Amino acid sequence: MSFLGDLINPYSVLSIIGMCKNAGKTTVLNHIIHKTAGKKITLAFTSVGRDGEAIDIVTNTAKPGIYVYAGSLIATAEGLLDACDITKEILLTTGISTPLGEIVVIRALSGGYVQLAGPSTTSQLERLAQAFSRFGADKIIIDGAVSRKTFSALQHGGTQAVILCTGASYNASMETVVKETLFVSKLFSLPPQDAPHGVPPSDAGGAKFVLCGKECIRLPNNMGIEEGLRKHAQNDTTQVYVAGALSDAILEPLFRAGVNLAGLQFVVYDAGKILISAAAYEKLLLRNCGIQVLRGIKLLAIAINPVSAYGYSFDKELFRESLTRQTDIPVINVQERPAAQGDTND
């Protein structure tokens, strides 16, 4: 198929996420669609948010359209159906409401450009994934998060693998982009661990934090981790299960109070729930503290876009080399032949 096509082949649910707007998510999506054409693979598409419009409504910059082939399945908002220039068959009205109308599932009867607008909750995307499977989807692609703040959507729809898009639009400093991209890739490389005894993998019984030591203690939602550790010192807590996202706002009070964190592990559902900064992560490591995930998400590749939407660009080879020499994750530029990856088909 192609180097990237070979990477995604084993996975039935894939998310394409970006470090920022204009990182190249749509370009990667179009590349996958193009390389899959003629392979007798039924692709299904939806988006966490909106994509496929000609002009980005946030940055007011031009965007590539999303071109699909006949047979593809698309979930989008009813208000965008007229913007999809394909011959379409409506398969399902989902009852899922969005600002752009009800989400509907359609089949493309001809090739053409589409706009995607999907739901943003886990249960709704899981419903769509189930519907796609009923209608014969071989591979579901979720046009996913567009910033670190929205990575927590990764478990939506049962995502098994991720392509991380990064580029010059994230920051004018290539050094900063490389550092932050490598940090995110490190988080995705965390191996999955068993859930703390007494804590279901995705549920803390309504509590935000659970202290796990001699027993699992669910803290009241008005109690922070610092207070909980102090109050339950006799529990000998070794793990703190965080039901939502682990953020700097959660960790900073612990740092300021000088809490002894040595040997403590913060446990989250998956890497998409880790929204801390690189600086906060370094502080954890200095305190002999770590982070564990219950569910692994395979990071397949880092896709780079050396051109910024804001009028500047990076040296594409230097950008690629700066990443490849510091990670084992494949680094690709789908708009050219990625010789560094040994691929001759992309």
Side-chain angles (χ1 to χ4, degrees), residues 4 8 14-32 51 64 141-151 154 161-171 176-178 180-185 188 298-307 314 319 323 329-335:
L4 184 54
I8 71 172
L14 172 76
S15 280
I16 303 173
I17 63 177
M19 293 286 293
C20 61
K21 282 278 190 180
N22 305 111
K25 290 193 300 100
T26 305
T27 300
V28 170
L29 176 60
N30 279 329
H31 179 84
I32 293 173
D51 202 6
I141 301 178
I142 301 171
D143 186 347
V146 294
S147 73
R148 292 280 323 278
K149 292 181 180 180
T150 53
F151 279 6
L154 285 180
V162 161
I163 297 171
L164 175 65
C165 300
T166 187
S169 291
Y170 183 80
N171 193 282
T176 297
V177 177
V178 169
E180 291 295 320
T181 302
L182 290 171
F183 170 58
V184 172
S185 70
F188 277 99
K298 177 68 174 179
L299 178 57
L300 297 179
I302 299 171
I304 62 170
N305 177 12
V307 180
F314 296 159
F319 187 26
L323 286 165
I329 304 297
V331 180
I332 60 176
N333 183 343
V334 299
Q335 291 193 310

Side-chain angles (χ1 to χ4, degrees), residues 1-2 5 8-9 28-43 45 67-72 111-112 138-139 141:
M1 190 184 298
S2 71
I8 71 172
N9 191 51
V28 170
L29 176 60
N30 279 329
H31 179 84
I32 293 173
I33 295 170
H34 174 69
K35 290 297 183 179
T36 308
K39 304 296 181 181
K40 295 183 179 179
I41 298 174
T42 299
L43 297 181
F45 309 96
Y67 189 93
V68 302
Y69 293 91
S72 300
D138 297 306
K139 197 175 298 293
I141 301 178

Side-chain angles (χ1 to χ4, degrees), residues 169-253:
S169 291
Y170 183 80
N171 193 282
S173 165
M174 184 191 299
E175 181 180 357
T176 297
V177 177
V178 169
K179 179 181 178 181
E180 291 295 320
T181 302
L182 290 171
F183 170 58
V184 172
S185 70
K186 181 184 296 185
L187 299 181
F188 277 99
S189 299
L190 293 172
Q193 306 289 335
D194 291 336
H197 179 69
V199 179
S202 60
D203 176 43
K208 293 191 296 185
F209 308 119
V210 183
L211 308 184
C212 299
K214 294 177 181 177
E215 59 181 309
C216 285
I217 300 173
R218 289 163 169 79
L219 298 183
N221 285 340
N222 60 354
M223 181 180 293
I225 296 173
E226 177 199 351
E227 182 182 354
L229 289 172
R230 187 172 62 250
K231 180 178 179 181
H232 300 285
Q234 77 287 350
N235 192 50
D236 296 332
T237 298
T238 58
Q239 295 172 299
V240 177
Y241 181 79
V242 180
L246 180 64
S247 65
D248 285 12
I250 290 173
L251 296 179
E252 283 301 330

